[in-house]
Amino acid sequence: MKKILVTFLAFAASGLLFAQNSSSAQSTGNVSLAEPDPTMIGRDSASQSLREVSVDRFELEGAWNATISPDYGMITARLHDGSPAAKEPVKDDADAPDSRVLGVKVEFFRRGVNSFFIKSARPIPIEGVTKTVSVWVVGRNMDHQLTLLVQDYYGHNFELYMGSLGFTGWKRMTVAVPPTPDGEHGIIQQSAYNGSKPGLRIVGFRIDCNPMLARGTYYIYFDDLRAVTDLYDIENRDEDDMRDDW
């Protein structure tokens, strides 16, 4: 009887200690269920070298194209002068031109279930293993849905939901890139069997319209597409090591 009582007390004490540790982690901010932490995603290697890099600043005319089904409306994309006031430049890249934003104007013919696309003229590669992708957006407080379109190492297409556009003014929208569970499924960003090349490519964005709000004229603006990427393998590659891309 005494042995049973001692065993029960030991289990109870261990459960209480686990609960306290979990509660402490949440209260100190070490555990977050609301926002992805890029430093904790895909943390299966001994070291990481995370860097925030600029993917595109929307400064070049004709670099992005906007399309919509002609049955639902007309669409126009052009650059405008402007910039989010709260935006901070990427470290060591503050002198690059950054005075314009991409504006997209949609003129709906009628309400309905429809989508429109903003795509780069060419998929934009990101070196390393991408953890998160962010972009500044003006959504004009319309409850349309923004989705990021990407390609992985093998050219397979994936969609990453970024959130609702139901907000006023500029907002930085961020999405985490989920790691592959086994190296064969999901978004694969690197492989030891097929040479070396950038693992993730940005294709563009899709906006799924709220059918009750898809009427009249709608404006949306984009600026400062960035990524947090792990450059450990690239930065620690020996200078005399050959590249497997021939």
Side-chain angles (χ1 to χ4, degrees):
M1 184 65 181
K2 291 183 179 180
K3 291 183 179 181
I4 296 176
L5 181 59
V6 171
T7 303
F8 174 77
L9 292 176
F11 276 111
S14 61
L16 179 59
L17 180 60
F18 174 80
Q20 289 176 344
N21 290 338
S22 300
S23 176
S24 176
Q26 292 179 355
S27 63
T28 56
N30 294 330
V31 176
S32 175
L33 300 179
E35 296 183 1
D37 182 356
T39 65
M40 300 304 296
I41 298 174
R43 199 174 181 84
D44 53 0
S45 60
S47 301
Q48 290 191 350
S49 181
L50 297 180
R51 298 286 187 274
E52 185 177 43
V53 298
S54 176
V55 179
D56 194 271
R57 297 184 181 84
F58 302 97
E59 296 291 309
L60 183 61
E61 197 76 56
W64 293 81
N65 303 309
T67 59
I68 191 174
S69 171
D71 295 333
Y72 291 112
M74 298 187 300
I75 193 168
T76 306
R78 52 164 292 191
L79 298 181
H80 297 263
D81 293 334
S83 181
K87 181 180 66 175
E88 296 181 358
V90 176
K91 185 179 180 181
D92 301 328
D93 202 16
D95 296 332
D98 191 10
S99 61
R100 301 170 120 190
V101 301
L102 176 67
V104 177
K105 174 184 177 181
V106 183
E107 299 173 83
F108 294 106
F109 291 155
R110 60 182 181 273
R111 285 189 295 196
V113 179
N114 57 70
S115 303
F116 61 91
F117 298 83
I118 299 99
K119 292 186 176 181
S120 175
R122 294 181 178 180
I124 306 174
I126 305 175
E127 287 190 317
V129 178
T130 303
K131 303 298 182 179
T132 65
V133 178
S134 67
V135 64
W136 284 86
V137 183
V138 170
R140 287 292 182 254
N141 203 23
M142 292 287 184
D143 191 26
H144 306 314
Q145 309 300 315
L146 179 65
T147 297
L148 177 70
L149 308 177
V150 300
Q151 288 180 350
D152 73 351
Y153 185 92
Y154 295 108
H156 299 150
N157 294 310
F158 292 88
E159 303 175 353
L160 300 174
Y161 176 70
M162 299 196 75
S164 170
L165 297 170
F167 53 86
T168 302
W170 285 103
K171 177 181 178 181
R172 187 178 184 182
M173 304 183 70
T174 305
V175 63
V177 180
T180 171
D182 53 9
E184 297 182 1
H185 301 87
I187 301 178
I188 301 174
Q189 297 196 54
Q190 59 184 358
S191 172
Y193 303 102
N194 294 278
S196 56
K197 60 181 180 180
L200 193 74
R201 292 170 173 80
I202 303 296
V203 175
F205 304 93
R206 187 186 72 233
I207 290 85
D208 299 317
C209 301
N210 184 322
M212 298 302 296
L213 303 176
R215 61 186 180 89
T217 303
Y218 175 64
Y219 296 88
I220 183 172
Y221 299 88
F222 296 87
D223 192 31
D224 198 33
L225 181 61
R226 300 185 185 185
V228 174
T229 180
D230 181 9
L231 300 175
Y232 180 83
D233 290 341
I234 297 175
E235 293 180 349
N236 291 275
R237 186 183 185 90
D238 293 334
E239 294 181 359
D240 58 354
D241 192 0
M242 288 70 67
R243 295 184 61 85
D244 299 333
D245 55 1
W246 52 279

